[in-house]
Amino acid sequence: MKIDRAVGSWMLLIALIVGCQRSPESATQTQRDPSRPIRVLTTTGMVADLARNVGDDQVEVVQLLGPGTDPHLYKPTRDDVQSILGADVVFYSGLMLEGKMGDTLVRAGRSKPVWAVTEAIDESYLLEPEDAQGHFDPHVWNDIQAWSQCIEVVRKALADFDPDHADDYQANAAKYQQQLNELHAYGLRSMQTIPAENRILVTSHDAFNYFGRAYDLQVLGVQGLSTESEAGLQRINGLVDLLIDKKVRAVFVESSVPRKNIEALVNGAASRGQEVKIGGELFSDAMGTAGSYEGTYVGMMDHNITRVVRALGGEAPERGLNDKLSE
C-alpha cells in the first residue's frame, strides 16, 4: 500500500503539471527543433538501448532506471517528472512492467508522443502465467525475437517526429535487427549443447519464462513475476526438493534482486547433502553498468546466454559471442 500511495501521488502530480502545459491536441503537432538532438526519455536500459541504436546521433537519450534498479519496485521522483516534461519523445516497456508508472506515462501523451514499445508484439505471442492475475508477463526482452519486434515502434515514432531523417532510422533499425538475429542464432546453437537432464533454469524471480520458451529450458523462479511478492518457506522448501530430485547443478542470482532466496536454496540443498552452485549473476530487469558491454542489450543477452550454457554443462566461449564479456 505504501508504494501504491507514493506512485499514485506521482501520477496525480504529473497529470496536473502536464494538463496545465498543453492541450491534448498539441501532441500531434510537436516537431523537431533541428538545432539540437531529439530528447528521448526512456524507462529501462533495454528500452534506452533500442532508442540509441535506432536514433544514433540524432537522439539524446535519458534513462530513468539505472543498472541494478528493479522496475517493479521503482519509486519515481520529482526530477523524473521534470525529465518527462522536458522530453520530445517518451518510450517505455509496457505490459505493467513499470507498475502504475505506465499509466502516468500515458497521461504524458497529452503533450508529447509516448510509446509502449511492447505494443508491437501480438498478444498471441505473449505469456500469461496462472499467477499473473490476468496480466501478461512483461519480461519479453528475454526473448530476442520478441524484443526485435519492438524496433519498429521506435523507428516509426522517430520517423514520424523527424521525417527528414526517416531513411537514417530505417537503416539503423535494419542494422540493429541484424545484430539481434546473430545474437539469437548464437543462443540457439549454444543452448542446444546443454544436456537434456540439465535443462532446468532456477532464478530469483519469474523473469525468464520467455527465455526458457525461446531456448527450450524449464524455468523456475523463487519469486513471482513481480519482485513485490515475497517467497514463502514452502516455496523455498519445494524448490530444494526439486534441486535434489533433479540433481540440478546450478542456480542463478539476478543483478536487480537480492541474493538471499537463491542462497537459501543453495544452503537448503547443502544441508541435505547435495552441492548446488551459484552459476552466476544474470541480468533480468536491468542491464549492466553503463558504458560496459553488458550495459548494452546485446551484451546483456550475450552474458545471460553464455553464463547459463556454461553453468548447466553446455559449450559456449568464455567471453561470449563477440569476445567482449567481462572476466
Side-chain angles (χ1 to χ4, degrees), residues 18 49 232:
V18 169
D49 200 64

Side-chain angles (χ1 to χ4, degrees), residues 43-210:
T43 52
T44 68
M46 293 75 75
V47 177
D49 200 64
L50 276 175
R52 291 190 184 102
N53 276 278
V54 177
D56 199 22
D57 57 2
Q58 300 298 328
V59 299
E60 178 183 281
V61 178
V62 174
Q63 175 186 329
L64 289 186
L65 282 67
T69 303
D70 185 344
H72 301 288
L73 303 178
Y74 184 69
K75 298 178 181 179
T77 67
R78 192 178 185 89
D79 286 343
D80 294 335
V81 175
Q82 295 304 319
S83 294
I84 291 172
L85 295 179
D88 297 314
V89 183
V90 177
F91 296 110
Y92 66 106
S93 191
L95 298 177
M96 298 296 291
L97 175 73
E98 295 93 346
K100 293 184 179 179
M101 192 194 311
D103 296 332
T104 306
L105 292 168
V106 171
R107 290 173 185 247
R110 296 176 181 176
S111 62
K112 63 187 83 271
V114 176
W115 297 84
V117 298
T118 52
E119 70 180 36
I121 303 174
D122 191 277
E123 286 190 2
S124 64
Y125 197 87
L126 299 174
L127 296 174
E128 188 175 356
E130 293 181 2
D131 62 348
Q133 300 178 335
H135 298 300
F136 292 116
D137 184 340
H139 303 91
V140 289
W141 59 87
N142 281 318
D143 180 334
I144 298 168
Q145 287 186 306
W147 195 242
S148 296
Q149 298 177 46
C150 303
I151 295 174
E152 176 59 17
V153 174
V154 177
R155 184 208 65 77
K156 184 179 185 304
L158 293 178
D160 287 348
F161 186 81
D162 178 27
D164 289 346
H165 293 92
D167 289 345
D168 294 331
Y169 301 134
Q170 179 65 48
N172 294 341
K175 179 181 177 181
Y176 191 46
Q177 180 67 66
Q178 181 59 35
Q179 292 179 36
L180 298 193
N181 290 344
E182 293 172 1
L183 180 63
H184 180 55
Y186 167 68
L188 290 173
R189 290 194 309 271
S190 302
M191 290 290 174
Q192 288 174 355
T193 67
I194 299 175
E197 64 273 16
N198 293 347
R199 304 184 71 84
I200 300 176
L201 177 62
V202 180
T203 63
S204 300
H205 84 296
D206 277 341
F208 290 90
N209 292 316
Y210 291 102

Side-chain angles (χ1 to χ4, degrees), residues 205-272:
H205 84 296
D206 277 341
F208 290 90
N209 292 316
Y210 291 102
F211 187 87
R213 183 178 68 178
Y215 299 123
D216 192 25
L217 300 171
Q218 180 183 356
V219 176
L220 297 166
V222 182
Q223 292 173 263
L225 288 182
S226 171
T227 52
E228 288 186 277
S229 62
E230 284 292 335
L233 183 60
Q234 183 177 1
R235 174 64 174 170
I236 291 175
N237 287 337
L239 285 173
V240 170
D241 290 341
L242 181 140
L243 297 181
I244 294 172
D245 181 56
K246 299 292 186 180
K247 296 181 173 58
V248 174
R249 58 188 290 160
V251 293
F252 298 85
V253 296
E254 299 175 26
S255 63
S256 57
V257 182
R259 301 167 62 99
K260 62 178 182 178
N261 288 331
I262 291 297
E263 291 174 345
L265 293 183
V266 172
N267 293 334
S271 70
R272 295 169 60 179

